[in-house]
Amino acid sequence: MTETEILGWAGTVTAVVLGLPQLVRLARTRNVEGLSLPAWQAFLAVNLGWTAHGIAIGQAPQVAASALSLLSTVPILYLMSRQLKRSFLLTLAPGLGLAALMVLIDQLFGSGAYGAVAIIPAVLANAGQSVALVRDRHVDGVSVLFLILAVVNQVIWLAWALLVPDTGTIIAATTTGIIALFNLAWYTARVLGLPPIPSRQAARRSPRRE
């Protein structure tokens, strides 16, 4: 087995187990504090879009990683929709629409263009989680193992993409990895006592102490 194949399948394993700690925590606690619904809707688009991209470039590890990741992403969205009292189908709709756009661009313009566009849902997913970690009063619903695996997963896929090479994956893995690292660092700071930073609108609504 070549170095590229080893990294590809290592990326597959980490991608598949990535969402499982968060799924287990959410199923056990039903606590969505610190979780971002738009982030997980974007993760749905990422899973579907990269499944199609892996098929297009003939890379089985990428197909397996992205397709099997749906086994945690979809149940997480289902549980979140129930806790937030939203329609499950409407909850899926934004992710499905964004995934369709990603696939279309990949087919029409190729891997480089796809990589540039694929940054958008990847950034939305991870930055959406960043916002929740920064602003939410509590982050008890977030799994730290999920945040750690998110960083490890992007490092592995970046190394894999450099060996293949695949421009789209290099662009997306680098950008996503930086944000994933920020999320892990900020979560750690919150657990250690850093207070939330409310939005300006929330701050205006909060009564001032005399």
Side-chain angles (χ1 to χ4, degrees):
M1 185 177 287
T2 67
E3 186 177 12
T4 302
E5 290 173 329
I6 292 173
L7 283 171
W9 287 113
T12 299
V13 172
T14 55
V16 170
V17 302
L18 173 61
L20 293 180
Q22 188 60 68
L23 175 59
V24 170
R25 186 175 185 84
L26 184 55
R28 182 171 57 85
T29 67
R30 294 297 195 274
N31 188 340
V32 297
E33 291 179 320
L35 291 177
S36 166
L37 179 60
W40 283 97
Q41 290 170 326
F43 276 127
L44 176 62
V46 169
N47 294 159
L48 293 171
W50 284 102
T51 298
H53 182 67
I55 293 172
I57 64 174
Q59 291 294 333
Q62 197 169 70
V63 175
S66 302
L68 291 175
S69 294
L70 292 167
L71 297 179
S72 56
T73 301
V74 174
I76 285 172
L77 284 169
Y78 173 73
L79 290 172
M80 291 189 73
S81 68
R82 290 194 61 182
Q83 291 303 115
L84 298 172
K85 299 183 176 10
R86 296 170 180 258
S87 164
F88 178 52
L89 292 178
L90 290 179
T91 299
L92 294 179
L96 295 176
L98 189 52
L101 178 61
M102 292 169 66
V103 172
L104 180 62
I105 290 173
D106 196 14
Q107 293 299 313
L108 292 178
F109 303 108
S111 181
Y114 172 80
V117 172
I119 289 177
I120 298 173
V123 168
L124 287 175
N126 288 276
Q129 185 58 66
S130 300
V131 171
L133 289 171
V134 169
R135 291 182 177 177
D136 284 11
R137 291 183 60 190
H138 303 285
V139 294
D140 298 336
V142 180
S143 165
V144 65
L145 184 54
F146 162 73
L147 297 176
I148 294 171
L149 287 173
V151 175
V152 173
N153 187 49
Q154 294 307 318
V155 170
I156 292 174
W157 280 117
L158 177 58
W160 173 87
L162 290 170
L163 290 175
V164 170
D166 178 53
T167 306
T169 307
I170 292 172
I171 295 170
T174 300
T175 306
T176 306
I178 291 171
I179 303 174
L181 185 60
F182 169 84
N183 286 346
L184 177 59
W186 199 274
Y187 172 84
T188 302
R190 289 296 308 273
V191 171
L192 292 175
L194 183 71
I197 302 175
S199 64
R200 292 181 179 179
Q201 290 183 343
R204 291 195 202 102
R205 289 196 296 266
S206 299
R208 295 182 179 179
R209 294 180 179 179
E210 298 296 335

